[in-house]
Amino acid sequence: MSDVDATAPSGLVAEAARLDAADELRAKRAAFALDDGVAYLDGNSLGALPRAVAPRLADVVAREWGELRIRSWEESGWWAAPERVGDRIGRLVGAAPGQVVVGDSTSVNVFKAVVAAVRLAGGGPRDEILVDAATFPTDGYVAASAARLTGCRIRAVPAGDIGAAAGPRTAAAVVNHVDYRTGRLHDLPGTTAAVHAAGAPVVWDLCHSAGALPVGLDEHGVDLAVGCTYKYLNGGPGSPAYLYIRRGLQPRFDSPLPGWNSHADPFGMSPAFTPADGPARGRTGTPEILSLLALDAALDVWDDVGLAAVRAKSLALTDFFLRCVAALVPEGRVESVTPADHPARGSQVSLRCPSDAEAVTAALVRRGVVGDFRRPDVLRFGFAPLYNTFADAERAARTLAEVL
């Protein structure tokens, strides 16, 4: 047995080095623009820049736009990009090709999905939309607006109770896969099955899970899902979101925001709307080509990565960070609100910090540890398995201990 105390600072540093040396994803870090002197643990808000993005975007601007100009819609594949990039994201969320379209913001796609879900439910006595009570605020705002437009009412229910709450009045349910504040991973398979048993569809928000863990949309029969691409998928600030429409539902998907891009014959310019086949009926207007192709380049880092390895490293990183916090931070100064059990944990650790969490976050940033906080007292540390290291986790815990 080693004489080194694994809970002592030197023991944790040595353990981090051993874990990093054994990490099968360690080579991926070099694909990102990162500072060696900074532990960037805010990938759950904005992912780091993949190095391939800048040259790709320079080519899009200088050659595809600057030289080919309008010819690029066909010659450079711009027109088909929303579905092509959608299929790349589909692999990361467990969706077979032909079910994901990229475009618009998460908020806009939540609106499309919720209204379409209510329309799929068929009206009648189904006049209630169940919403995750701790949902990200925008999802709640959009669901409330969708309820007003469809004659429904909102009922807020804890995410874990939505399956049990679903019944004959349920028109749709809207659930966050991972709680943005606590990092709790909710039961996607169980909730989806329970709401289906009550006769209603479910809309899942994958913003804090896609790119951090396996999702299994097809496997678990998910109806509709939305998500952003600028967190764990590293698409860049404001990069376009995506919409998943299960293949069997596509012929009945009735978007509340039809546009010329979602028309079966977009260049026919017909005054009457006929929806396109497939996920293209989830489009609205002209694709955001510059940000869409930046996202496309960012997704290259995932080409040879398996989600099982990503999940294993995510859990190992968060386990190690929690252990470092317990060993180094003075007792009683912080309390984890992230579940300790793996099946209920996403890829972030949230610590309740009564001692002015905002000031503590600022002090951490000044010392090279970048996380964030959520009012009033939650420190958030997001672990992106493709580029975060165990040394990042140890440094963050040690710096937090020094600050406190």
Side-chain angles (χ1 to χ4, degrees):
M1 180 177 292
S2 171
D3 293 330
V4 176
D5 182 357
T7 65
S10 60
L12 293 170
V13 170
E15 183 178 358
R18 288 194 299 273
L19 291 168
D20 282 328
D23 174 19
E24 66 177 286
L25 297 175
R26 64 186 181 279
K28 281 295 173 182
R29 182 177 171 88
F32 293 87
L34 293 162
D35 303 316
D36 288 338
V38 174
Y40 185 70
L41 300 177
D42 214 3
N44 55 327
S45 282
L46 177 63
L49 169 67
R51 295 185 187 276
V53 171
R56 172 71 175 111
L57 199 51
D59 182 66
V60 171
V61 171
R63 184 179 62 84
E64 295 184 9
W65 179 15
E67 296 176 12
L68 295 178
R69 291 176 284 275
I70 202 166
R71 291 160 51 197
S72 277
W73 286 105
E74 294 298 333
E75 294 182 26
S76 301
W78 288 1
W79 185 261
E83 289 76 37
R84 178 177 59 79
V85 179
D87 285 344
R88 300 189 76 186
I89 292 173
R91 185 183 76 83
L92 301 178
V93 294
Q99 300 177 100
V100 179
V101 64
V102 177
D104 299 318
S105 67
T106 306
S107 304
V108 172
N109 284 325
V110 170
F111 179 74
K112 294 177 196 173
V114 175
V115 174
V118 172
R119 290 172 175 174
L120 284 168
R126 296 191 178 275
D127 61 354
E128 186 174 81
I129 300 174
L130 301 179
V131 176
D132 172 359
T135 189
F136 187 77
T138 289
D139 289 20
Y141 305 156
V142 170
S145 177
R148 293 193 298 272
L149 289 170
T150 57
C152 292
R153 69 185 186 96
I154 292 289
R155 180 152 70 105
V157 179
D161 298 335
I162 281 182
R169 296 190 62 178
T170 304
V174 185
V175 197
N176 287 234
H177 195 196
V178 173
D179 187 295
Y180 77 100
R181 184 182 295 273
T182 67
R184 175 176 288 277
L185 175 64
H186 294 132
D187 180 8
L188 182 147
T191 300
T192 300
V195 176
H196 283 178
V202 188
V203 176
W204 284 94
D205 182 329
L206 309 179
C207 285
H208 288 268
S209 57
L213 50 93
V215 177
L217 295 180
D218 287 353
E219 176 186 358
H220 302 303
V222 170
D223 305 295
L224 301 161
V226 301
C228 66
T229 60
Y230 49 79
K231 299 182 191 297
Y232 297 110
L233 297 181
N234 312 299
S239 55
Y242 57 91
L243 171 65
Y244 164 86
I245 310 169
R246 179 158 54 88
R247 192 182 310 280
L249 296 180
Q250 289 173 6
R252 296 191 291 131
F253 180 84
D254 184 6
S255 174
L257 292 174
W260 77 284
N261 253 241
S262 57
H263 198 286
D265 181 15
F267 292 97
M269 302 300 169
S270 169
F273 181 72
T274 302
D277 292 330
R281 65 172 55 198
R283 288 196 189 196
T284 302
T286 304
E288 310 91 327
I289 289 299
L290 296 183
S291 55
L292 178 57
L293 296 183
L295 167 64
D296 191 24
L299 291 172
D300 288 350
V301 299
W302 292 94
D303 284 347
D304 57 351
V305 173
L307 269 295
V310 170
R311 179 59 168 163
K313 183 177 176 183
S314 164
L315 292 171
L317 278 168
T318 49
D319 277 344
F320 182 63
F321 177 67
L322 285 167
R323 195 150 54 79
C324 290
V325 168
L328 300 175
V329 175
E331 187 174 355
R333 300 303 299 275
V334 295
E335 173 195 4
S336 176
V337 296
T338 300
D341 53 317
H342 288 180
R345 188 194 308 165
S347 198
Q348 74 182 51
V349 173
S350 296
L351 304 175
R352 180 163 288 122
C353 176
S355 305
D356 196 345
E358 184 172 8
V360 170
T361 300
L364 289 171
V365 172
R366 288 194 298 271
R367 295 171 183 233
V369 174
V370 181
D372 64 20
F373 85 103
R374 288 294 176 264
R375 296 174 183 168
D377 59 0
V378 173
L379 307 175
R380 300 196 314 168
F381 300 91
F383 290 87
L386 292 194
Y387 56 79
N388 282 135
T389 65
F390 292 91
D392 288 337
E394 187 279 331
R395 177 181 177 180
R398 174 166 38 87
T399 306
L400 177 60
E402 293 167 358
V403 168
L404 291 175

